[in-house]
Amino acid sequence: MKLLFIGDIVGQPGRRAVKELLPGLREAHALDFVIANGENSAGGSGITPKTAGEIFSAGVDVITSGDHLWDQKEVMELLASEKRFLRPLNYPPGVPGHGGGVFEIQNLKLKIAVLNAQGRTFMPPLENPFLLAAEEVKRLRAQARIIFVDFHAEATSEKIAFGRFLDGQVSAVVGTHTHVQTADEQIFPGGTAYLSDAGFTGPHESVLGREIEPVVKRFLTTMPQRFEVAKDRVRLHGAVIEIDNASGRAVKIQRVSEALP
Ligand SMILES: [Fe+2]
Ligand SMILES: [Fe+2]
């Protein structure tokens, strides 16, 4: 099977890129399943049922998230009732939502598990993602051979260590959060596809998707600024991963960086 993972969708330009570019990508790569990180999909900060609905209608099967999860209060509705929406696994017990889920790939009658976890280096102090992911992977493996992991983290060392830790246990570990696509895609010896960061989907004439000037001003003055979502040079970033259905091992990983005309 082939899946596309889409890096952090930023605001309206990011949602438009997914809507307009996904049909062509589906065709070109013969995609069976699409996963996207939606933590910045609502005005650049957080996600709402409305923006999630737009992303699902564009053809995304599962939405993952990260540290911007809580920026819009309406996210509580998604956490309570939307099974196709995941939050980082490593929150303490009792926090609403799920970090992992098993889904059906309709055209193949095949199950795929998706797991979302968050790093702790230069990030809010969540529970240990290594310990919790190991447990969750064990639970998911009982239900699906194919497991995709979105590891939302800042430090490349933590991301690579996490990918190596899960090598042979999952089909792919792809990083998100930095919004900068890395060029280190590879398949580890155990059969796990890996990419440190998928990049972001949205306006690239920007600082990580935001207007350039206020961000520069913030660094110059240290004064708080409003960071509006930028507009120009919209691109969809992500990776296509081919996985062997029977073994769950990755066969190929290819980065995607597609311009919105
Ligand atoms: Fe993000
Ligand atoms: Fe993030």
Side-chain angles (χ1 to χ4, degrees):
M1 63 87 61
K2 278 170 107 178
L3 71 83
L4 168 68
F5 178 71
I6 300 173
D8 302 27
I9 299 169
V10 177
Q12 193 272 340
R15 303 199 304 274
R16 186 160 49 93
V18 173
K19 191 175 164 199
E20 291 184 22
L21 294 172
L22 189 49
L25 287 166
R26 188 183 297 281
E27 179 106 4
H29 295 280
L31 300 173
D32 301 300
F33 204 76
V34 182
I35 304 161
N37 187 300
E39 72 150 6
N40 306 108
S41 62
S45 302
I47 183 163
T48 62
K50 187 167 168 279
T51 55
E54 243 181 78
I55 295 166
F56 286 134
S57 318
V60 171
D61 298 293
V62 174
I63 301 177
T64 55
S65 60
D67 55 313
H68 282 290
L69 169 69
W70 308 104
D71 292 357
Q72 308 283 341
K73 61 180 189 307
E74 297 95 323
V75 75
M76 295 306 286
E77 272 173 60
L78 286 172
L79 290 168
S81 60
E82 180 51 81
K83 287 186 77 148
R84 298 170 296 170
F85 178 69
L86 301 177
R87 58 142 170 88
L89 169 78
N90 44 327
Y91 278 93
V95 172
H98 302 279
V102 179
F103 307 91
E104 178 97 15
I105 304 172
Q106 299 292 351
N107 61 332
L108 298 176
K109 303 242 174 302
L110 188 69
K111 293 221 182 328
I112 177 171
V114 183
L115 173 58
N116 189 191
Q118 189 167 306
R120 301 197 293 180
T121 308
F122 313 123
M123 299 284 281
L126 301 186
E127 308 290 338
N128 188 318
F130 288 73
L131 293 175
L132 290 178
E135 259 174 52
E136 182 70 1
V137 164
K138 207 182 283 176
R139 186 183 79 85
L140 295 171
R141 269 179 80 92
Q143 300 169 70
R145 285 263 162 82
I146 298 170
I147 304 179
F148 176 86
V149 183
D150 170 359
F151 189 47
H152 197 77
E154 182 75 45
T156 45
S157 58
E158 190 178 16
K159 287 164 128 165
I160 295 167
F162 192 77
R164 290 284 181 181
F165 175 65
L166 292 178
D167 182 24
Q169 302 294 309
V170 302
S171 309
V173 174
V174 176
T176 53
H177 177 68
T178 70
H179 290 203
V180 176
Q181 189 176 73
T182 58
D184 60 339
E185 71 274 23
Q186 60 196 288
I187 296 173
F188 289 149
T192 297
Y194 178 81
L195 175 65
S196 285
D197 208 292
F200 82 95
T201 297
H204 282 249
E205 194 57 30
S206 69
V207 178
L208 310 183
R210 305 309 182 110
E211 291 287 6
I212 296 164
E213 201 206 300
V215 180
V216 172
K217 195 169 173 196
R218 162 81 177 268
F219 279 110
L220 273 171
T221 65
T222 75
M223 286 161 60
Q225 305 289 323
R226 271 190 79 89
F227 295 158
E228 302 289 354
V229 171
K231 295 179 186 68
D232 297 331
R233 204 153 57 81
V234 177
R235 297 189 82 85
L236 184 151
H237 271 180
V240 171
I241 299 157
E242 190 179 344
I243 298 160
D244 177 67
N245 294 354
S247 65
R249 289 170 72 104
V251 177
K252 193 178 166 193
I253 176 166
Q254 181 187 352
R255 274 183 288 130
V256 170
S257 176
E258 192 95 353
L260 188 68

